[in-house]
Amino acid sequence: MIEQLRRERPLVVCVTNDVVKPFTANSLLSLGASPIMSGEKSEAADILKHAGALLLNIGTCTEDKIPLYEEMARCANEYNIPVVLDPVGYGASAFRRNLTDKLLGEYDIALVKGNAGEIHALSGREAVSKGVDSIIEGNTLDIAKDAHEVLNVPVLVTGEMDAYADGKEKMTMHNGHKYLEVITGSGCVLGAITAAFLALENKSDSIADAVSLYNIAAEKAARSATGPGTFAAKLIDEIYNFKTEDYNARRVDVHE
Amino acid sequence: MIEQLRRERPLVVCVTNDVVKPFTANSLLSLGASPIMSGEKSEAADILKHAGALLLNIGTCTEDKIPLYEEMARCANEYNIPVVLDPVGYGASAFRRNLTDKLLGEYDIALVKGNAGEIHALSGREAVSKGVDSIIEGNTLDIAKDAHEVLNVPVLVTGEMDAYADGKEKMTMHNGHKYLEVITGSGCVLGAITAAFLALENKSDSIADAVSLYNIAAEKAARSATGPGTFAAKLIDEIYNFKTEDYNARRVDVHE
Amino acid sequence: MIEQLRRERPLVVCVTNDVVKPFTANSLLSLGASPIMSGEKSEAADILKHAGALLLNIGTCTEDKIPLYEEMARCANEYNIPVVLDPVGYGASAFRRNLTDKLLGEYDIALVKGNAGEIHALSGREAVSKGVDSIIEGNTLDIAKDAHEVLNVPVLVTGEMDAYADGKEKMTMHNGHKYLEVITGSGCVLGAITAAFLALENKSDSIADAVSLYNIAAEKAARSATGPGTFAAKLIDEIYNFKTEDYNARRVDVHE
């Protein structure tokens, strides 16, 4: 589906956190998508009109930006554009919990994506969050299934093994590299990439295609990296250089 | 003129978008200029007092930051410091159009710099903008000349062929590399670099020197890059390592 | 102490400037610490409750964010968590001076860290600041001792020779590389790294360990870098790859 993405060049509107903006934009450009970042509520309708997907990442959201997040979600729903929600640090503060719960409660969300700790907490299970990293060990598939049952939206849980659950499908994805855990925004960028795939016309397997592309690119990047700094630059290279046949390395298990 | 720039080390005040701040600051430092970023209106006069140029990039501007942009422009005009305006995504929303039109209408702007789609739209021509990328094909020189005629300010249009027009001079610049189109902020950084050159005392050929330096550095960086991620890092290296004799690769055409 | 840091994995809350957020987060992750960035006042208590240190960097602070800085400092003091203050561009504007003076006057600060120009100005000495770079030449140890005497808080002054002074100890640190001066945020990142070391239990030599680790990593990174762009990526690699025996290259002088 990467060839289709490069042909359609979907516009992905990113309302994302301050820490990951350059990495997110560069990943989308390398992928072949067209990113736009905005912090201005009054332009939501204008820029979403031509968009293929909306990414809402709450990483550095503040009280005064909540109307922005809501207006973006409202316009995306009105135009029937898929919304990917990344509840960064859910569990780290009441502010993040309340914001996420409000967005999930009041708007149609096409995908919730987070690490094990965030999604575990989202399900109402007790979870201790230390910063924006997860300290939950255990089966990401169980966490995804559990969250889908509680929230009734498609859920992607990232970790050493990534897991996805919606009403029809459950799967685990096994590509990736440990360096992804020591670069900031690696999860946030995956959220942006899934948004780009969800923007395509006549899509199928968007999630597996997005996650596998990113993780296989990471495996390739790690081969010549000497640490997480050079890895991050080479990851962008490998997203750009990704070819359909690179999907041959894909390791995805579909579950009952 | 690069030796002069490294001697004078001009202070460039950057009021720019959130996505490109690190890349912009690193490019200016590598060039030999001294960047300062500010989002605080009340310090405009203090920091512009010692400045050589002001960059206004509207990429992630919001309603509440308009007074900041205006106060920065006002102080720069008062101190007679050149202002470079980058109307990122002009055409993507009414908010961006109104802000840009206001800045162009009320302050002295030394240079407007944008891609073909943005500048085409600025001239009042119909243009469809998809995100912050341009989808206008065609002659950037015509677009620059047209915009200069309508706006009566010097105009730089970026693209595969960069073009410049003011009341006296028209030129096209032919260096560069396709990777520049797949890294975020490559145009924004060029805006910052032109601002640094415009800050010099007794300047001439600032635009051609700035654009050519950047594009020749890009050509050199691309030689050992394996994709846009490593390219971006090497571009900073090549700006830093740029020598006067590297200008020998310059391809600039002056037009009637 | 790097092994201890990787075991304890301290949570470092960063209220820092927009230009250096990705670099700061990546440095802390590579180091083995756990960063969280926040711009929301109402979550200060929640996220500081589990934190090991707070970094306050005023680089792109604005009037409306002052209550955020104050609430973060107040909570950190309440929980007895060390606060590192980086008064970026002190001297460049009245706004920056007033904000820094307020934070120093009203909260317990564990460390003030800045370049020679910033710290010189902080001591009430006349200083000319050109952007956020220092143009003060001279002995950083004298500047540190002087500032400590005036402010009565531990002071770290960065430069070609880094210097530290508190009530008990005075030292100079001699590792590093000139590329650190041409990448944005190199000083800001050092502030974050010292915060991570100050977060450790039963600590000693935190400052020398933090500064030396960073500067030795820089020396190693510079060996294979071709300029400041590749250097920045390799610096992250070398922080990640840093081993206890790398401290053998440490050059620290303790002064009377």
Side-chain angles (χ1 to χ4, degrees), chain A residues 5 26 64 96 100 124 161 166 174 183 210 215 219 238 254:
Chain A
L5 193 151
N26 279 324
D64 59 308
R96 291 169 195 241
T100 302
M161 175 180 89
D166 63 19
H174 302 265
I183 58 171
N215 283 336
E219 292 172 3
E238 296 297 343
V254 177

Side-chain angles (χ1 to χ4, degrees), chain C residues 156-230:
Chain C
L156 173 62
V157 181
T158 58
E160 199 180 315
M161 175 180 88
D162 303 302
Y164 174 79
D166 64 19
K168 294 185 210 150
E169 202 174 19
K170 284 143 195 52
M171 60 185 170
T172 49
M173 293 156 284
H174 303 264
N175 295 100
H177 191 274
K178 64 172 181 171
Y179 281 154
L180 287 171
E181 283 164 47
V182 278
I183 59 172
T184 194
S186 70
C188 303
V189 165
L190 180 56
I193 288 177
T194 56
F197 274 90
L198 288 171
L200 299 181
E201 310 272 339
N202 306 314
K203 56 193 170 265
S204 70
D205 301 324
S206 305
I207 303 298
D209 281 356
V211 174
S212 298
L213 179 147
Y214 188 58
N215 282 336
I216 293 168
E219 292 172 4
K220 293 176 72 184
R223 276 175 218 151
S224 60
T226 50
T230 49

Side-chain angles (χ1 to χ4, degrees), chain A:
Chain A
M1 212 152 65
I2 181 65
E3 297 307 327
Q4 185 191 347
L5 193 151
R6 288 176 184 147
R7 270 196 316 276
E8 293 187 16
R9 202 170 165 67
L11 177 64
V12 180
V13 178
C14 300
V15 181
T16 192
N17 78 69
D18 294 344
V19 189
V20 305
K21 282 175 182 172
F23 188 25
T24 302
N26 279 324
S27 297
L28 287 174
L29 285 167
S30 285
L31 185 67
S34 181
I36 187 167
M37 308 246 165
S38 172
E40 173 53 31
K41 188 185 146 186
S42 74
E43 69 177 6
D46 280 351
I47 64 174
L48 281 161
K49 197 163 32 181
H50 302 290
L54 170 65
L55 171 70
L56 294 178
N57 174 309
I58 69 159
T60 54
C61 188
T62 49
E63 190 71 34
D64 59 308
K65 285 190 213 144
I66 294 178
L68 166 72
Y69 279 67
E70 292 212 72
E71 175 67 2
M72 289 281 178
R74 197 189 65 71
C75 290
N77 281 181
E78 193 177 312
Y79 296 137
N80 211 20
I81 292 164
V83 179
V84 174
L85 174 64
D86 191 340
V88 178
Y90 188 96
S93 72
F95 173 77
R96 291 169 195 241
R97 282 192 299 277
N98 294 340
L99 169 59
T100 302
D101 294 350
K102 188 182 182 69
L103 293 169
L104 273 168
E106 297 181 15
Y107 304 95
D108 286 334
I109 303 294
L111 180 71
V112 176
K113 187 220 80 45
N115 63 34
E118 288 156 358
I119 302 296
H120 195 69
L122 248 180
S123 308
R125 306 305 190 259
E126 200 179 336
V128 181
S129 183
K130 193 175 178 187
V132 292
D133 304 309
S134 174
I135 56 165
I136 302 292
E137 301 294 330
N139 195 314
T140 47
L141 181 60
D142 289 344
I143 294 170
K145 282 156 68 177
D146 205 26
H148 172 258
E149 211 170 287
V150 173
L151 304 170
N152 204 27
V153 292
V155 176
L156 173 62
V157 181
T158 57
E160 200 181 313
M161 175 180 89
D162 302 302
Y164 174 78
D166 63 19
K168 294 185 209 151
E169 201 174 22
K170 283 143 197 53
M171 60 183 170
T172 50
M173 292 156 285
H174 302 265
N175 294 100
H177 192 275
K178 64 172 179 170
Y179 281 154
L180 286 171
E181 284 164 46
V182 279
I183 58 171
T184 195
S186 69
C188 303
V189 165
L190 179 56
I193 288 177
T194 55
F197 275 90
L198 288 171
L200 299 180
E201 310 271 338
N202 305 314
K203 56 192 170 265
S204 69
D205 301 324
S206 305
I207 303 298
D209 280 355
V211 175
S212 298
L213 179 147
Y214 188 57
N215 283 336
I216 292 167
E219 292 172 3
K220 293 176 74 185
R223 274 175 220 152
S224 61
T226 51
T230 49
F231 169 75
K234 285 165 192 282
L235 177 55
I236 299 290
D237 287 0
E238 296 297 343
I239 293 170
Y240 180 81
N241 294 321
F242 198 90
K243 291 182 181 58
T244 300
E245 57 259 39
D246 289 317
Y247 273 128
N248 294 338
R250 181 201 310 235
R251 295 189 291 137
V252 173
D253 290 333
V254 177
H255 300 264
E256 294 293 303

